Amino acid sequence: MDARLMALRAARPIRIHCPVAAEALAAAVGGDLAAIERDPQIASILDLIRGDNALGGFGAYQGVCEIGFGAESFVPTEAANPVLGEAGIPALSPTIVLLTWVDADLPDDRLEQLIETIAERHPWEVPVIEIGAPVRLYAPGS
């Protein structure tokens, strides 16, 4: 479809990989999606996304994010202070990936503040937070 015929807006994707309790992940995969809300690590970051800030704004909808289920694998080194696992031994962590967006024209200092706040709420020593290049999103009514 010709982009001139539909409304588009520029946004930057932000993906936050966050550990989740195995029980919460299993319950969510089994259909109890509210189990995600009961996991304190995920709930803290969801509260931030749903807060009064630039994350997940879609006009009449705020706090928009996608929630993906998965697992992370990593090997802590001797220099690490891991929450899970031990040095030299591969570890697997149940994980939820939260994908949200900010307007592409959000000033860098505000974006940095949001990322720092996410990192402060994240339980990992080195959180995986991806900030993507601007993408075009469908924006009806704009």
Side-chain angles (χ1 to χ4, degrees):
M1 178 179 271
D2 188 334
R4 294 172 294 176
L5 300 178
M6 68 177 154
L8 299 173
R9 73 177 182 107
R12 293 178 70 107
I14 299 175
R15 283 181 192 79
I16 308 154
H17 300 247
C18 191
V20 62
E23 299 80 15
L25 181 61
V29 169
D32 178 12
L33 295 178
I36 296 165
E37 303 276 1
R38 295 189 297 268
D39 183 277
Q41 296 172 74
I42 300 298
S44 176
I45 296 176
L46 281 173
D47 285 346
L48 177 63
I49 292 170
R50 294 171 177 161
D52 185 17
N53 59 57
L55 295 169
F58 275 72
Y61 294 88
Q62 298 299 307
V64 175
C65 69
E66 292 182 21
I67 301 171
F69 307 140
E72 283 184 73
S73 176
F74 55 92
V75 181
T77 67
E78 292 293 334
N81 185 22
V83 174
L84 174 70
E86 51 188 276
I89 300 173
L92 288 171
S93 171
T95 300
I96 283 185
V97 178
L98 301 170
L99 169 60
T100 192
W101 301 264
V102 296
D103 285 331
D105 61 357
L106 184 71
D108 286 345
D109 62 329
R110 289 196 52 216
L111 179 59
E112 288 174 19
Q113 289 172 345
L114 285 170
I115 299 304
E116 284 299 319
T117 303
I118 293 167
E120 289 168 3
R121 291 184 181 210
H122 198 287
W124 286 146
E125 181 178 20
V126 180
V128 177
I129 304 169
E130 301 173 46
I131 300 101
V135 296
R136 296 183 314 167
L137 296 175
Y138 176 63
S142 49

